[in-house]
């Protein structure tokens, strides 16, 4: 197997709200992402998946642990290495409207990172580069002089993707890139991301809460709960044989297109609310809602271990040979 492009080791992240209150957003999060791969990251709102994306790109510091992208330590890199890292690792945001400056033209929005990095000092060459980026994401070059409010949600996301591609990155964190879009547009954006990946050899971390779309786009999928990665496996393996009780519950909620199978689908309903990240449960963080919780689960946190080939789970049941 090749070397990972992104290597995340035991990162933890706490947000201090005030002297009494802290939010533990990530706990000992580890993940390796290989060149050309798409890893999906799923979980309920507030599970820490977007925080993970931002920590990985160095937008947030960590309490502990390290992130390497192309062997550069994201949180300690300086000078030219830092510039190279910014070029190599970019982000696509959930809300394309909020992430695009409403007072700038599309030309200026897409050209900005190229100007910051001094890559196209000649204005005409810069303009031609923006035109070619617009074409790559399926937009006409005539759009370059328009403003973000003149576009539909799907077109704005295409502009956000063009901007992310401007510096020719190797790795992109796509943070819920389709959640704000109409269902009819979501598939178009996913197909665009897949085409660009193929053409440019991109590596993606695809953060989402729509499990069906994540299955479609991802080679591997990680499931997060309250800042912990609880399961990680090849996409097909995870969807066909989920081992963690939380993953099993999430997947049981996905409707099945075949009405005969849908009639027989057994949903696993989780009891109770998602606990607050300001006051994490003891032991296994899922024990307050887990239908299979045992005494041991309340006292001892399970280790995240490989129980089947390339299939990692954090659950005491697996230690006992059950699931
Ligand atoms: Fe459920 Fe216990 Fe496994 Fe946690 S460790 S998922 S509480 S069975």
């Amino acid at each position: 197997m090749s070397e990972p492009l992104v290597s995340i080791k035991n990162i933890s992240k706490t947000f201090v709200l005030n002297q009494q209150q802290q939010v533990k957003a990530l706990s000992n999060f580890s993940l390796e992402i290989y060149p050309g791969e798409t890893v999906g990251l799923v979980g309920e709102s507030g599970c820490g998946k977007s925080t993970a994306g931002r920590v990985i790109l160095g937008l947030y510091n960590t309490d502990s642990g390290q992130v390497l992208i192309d062997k550069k330590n994201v949180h300690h890199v300086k000078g030219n290495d830092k510039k190279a890292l910014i070029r190599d690792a970019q982000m696509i945001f959930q809300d394309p409207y909020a992430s695009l400056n409403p007072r700038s033209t599309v030309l200026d929005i897409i050209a900005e990172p190229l100007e910051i990095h001094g890559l196209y000092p000649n204005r005409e060459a810069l303009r031609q580069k923006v035109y070619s980026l617009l074409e790559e994401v399926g937009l006409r070059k005539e759009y370059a002089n328009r403003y973000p409010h003149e576009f539909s949600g799907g077109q704005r996301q295409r502009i956000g993707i063009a901007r992310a591609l401007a510096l020719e990155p190797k790795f992109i964190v796509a943070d819920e890139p389709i959640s704000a879009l109409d269902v009819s547009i979501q598939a178009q954006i996913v197909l665009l991301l897949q085409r660009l990946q193929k053409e440019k050899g991109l590596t993606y971390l695809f953060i989402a809460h729509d499990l069906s779309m994540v299955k479609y786009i991802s080679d591997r999928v990680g499931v997060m709960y309250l800042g912990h990665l609880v399961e990680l496996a090849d996409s097909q393996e995870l969807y066909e044989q989920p081992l963690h009780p939380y993953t099993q519950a999430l997947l049981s909620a996905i409707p099945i297109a075949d009405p005969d199978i849908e009639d027989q689908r057994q949903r696993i309903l989780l009891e109770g609310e998602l606990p607050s990240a300001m006051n994490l449960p003891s032991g296994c963080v899922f024990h307050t809602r887990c239908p299979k919780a045992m005494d041991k689960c309340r006292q001892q946190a399970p280790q995240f271990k490989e129980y089947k080939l390339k299939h990692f789970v954090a659950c005491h049941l697996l230690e006992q040979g059950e699931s």
Side-chain angles (χ1 to χ4, degrees):
M1 192 183 263
S2 58
E3 293 266 303
L5 177 65
V6 182
S7 175
I8 305 144
K9 287 207 179 90
N10 296 323
I11 53 170
S12 294
K13 173 68 186 169
T14 307
F15 292 103
V16 178
L17 304 183
N18 54 46
Q19 280 184 332
Q20 280 87 41
Q21 292 180 307
Q22 297 186 342
V23 172
K24 184 88 176 168
L26 279 180
S27 299
N28 284 325
F29 179 92
S30 296
L31 178 66
E32 292 184 329
I33 307 175
Y34 292 86
E37 181 180 44
T38 297
V39 175
L41 208 50
V42 297
E44 289 163 285
S45 174
C47 70
K49 54 192 191 297
S50 288
T51 300
R54 282 167 167 73
V55 167
I56 291 165
L57 290 186
L59 303 177
Y60 294 155
N61 289 329
T62 59
D63 308 343
S64 56
Q66 74 168 19
V67 181
L68 303 179
I69 297 180
D70 211 8
K71 302 198 173 72
K72 297 182 192 74
N73 189 317
V74 168
H75 297 97
H76 296 290
V77 74
K78 289 195 172 65
N80 285 339
D81 276 351
K82 183 159 190 169
K83 278 190 178 169
L85 181 71
I86 292 169
R87 286 204 297 270
D88 282 350
Q90 289 287 312
M91 187 154 196
I92 297 169
F93 296 90
Q94 174 181 4
D95 182 348
Y97 198 52
S99 66
L100 304 177
N101 185 344
R103 289 189 201 85
S104 296
T105 62
V106 168
L107 175 69
D108 289 338
I109 288 169
I110 299 174
E112 189 183 27
L114 296 164
E115 288 179 307
I116 290 171
H117 286 259
L119 295 178
Y120 288 82
N122 176 310
R123 188 71 192 170
E124 186 48 35
L126 182 67
R127 181 183 293 276
Q128 293 303 326
K129 174 67 180 174
V130 171
Y131 289 166
S132 79
L133 284 163
L134 283 173
E135 276 170 15
E136 278 183 356
V137 299
L139 294 174
R140 300 212 308 265
K141 66 178 185 181
E142 291 77 23
Y143 290 169
N145 293 322
R146 296 190 188 172
Y147 291 85
H149 73 269
E150 297 178 70
F151 295 92
S152 67
Q155 287 173 321
R156 282 198 287 264
Q157 192 54 288
R158 286 175 192 264
I159 296 166
I161 293 169
R163 184 183 156 99
L165 291 176
L167 296 173
E168 300 180 7
K170 297 174 182 167
F171 173 56
I172 291 181
V173 173
D175 184 9
E176 305 248 15
I178 54 172
S179 316
L181 304 176
D182 289 348
V183 175
S184 58
I185 307 297
Q186 290 182 352
Q188 293 176 17
I189 296 297
V190 166
L191 287 172
L192 171 65
L193 290 171
Q194 285 184 315
R195 174 171 63 76
L196 292 167
Q197 179 173 45
K198 215 169 171 186
E199 288 172 5
K200 296 171 181 295
L202 291 164
T203 304
Y204 291 141
L205 178 65
F206 190 92
I207 298 169
H209 62 262
D210 179 341
L211 286 138
S212 345
M213 202 55 91
V214 171
K215 177 186 180 188
Y216 177 70
I217 196 172
S218 306
D219 299 302
R220 287 186 298 146
V221 175
V223 180
M224 290 190 69
Y225 186 80
L226 277 181
H228 295 69
L229 191 59
V230 297
E231 185 157 11
L232 175 70
D234 283 351
S235 180
Q236 193 173 353
E237 158 92 8
L238 186 106
Y239 281 76
E240 288 177 0
Q241 295 191 21
L243 295 177
H244 194 282
Y246 178 59
T247 314
Q248 291 167 353
L250 281 184
L251 293 178
S252 79
I254 301 179
I256 299 164
D258 183 327
D260 292 337
I261 304 176
E262 173 65 11
D263 281 350
Q264 290 160 23
R265 176 166 65 99
Q266 290 195 329
R267 283 204 62 176
I268 303 169
L269 291 174
L270 295 178
E271 306 262 318
E273 296 287 311
L274 184 70
S276 166
M278 285 192 278
N279 187 18
L280 292 179
S282 60
C284 171
V285 285
F286 187 53
H287 85 250
T288 56
R289 297 168 82 198
C290 180
K292 298 176 180 173
M294 311 167 283
D295 283 346
K296 182 180 182 181
C297 305
R298 293 173 192 92
Q299 289 139 23
Q300 201 178 318
Q303 285 187 16
F304 189 67
K305 287 202 279 195
E306 187 174 18
Y307 286 97
K308 290 169 72 181
L309 185 65
K310 298 199 293 174
H311 192 153
F312 296 79
V313 192
C315 177
H316 290 309
L317 288 172
L318 276 293
E319 292 162 11
Q320 299 175 183
E322 301 171 37
S323 69

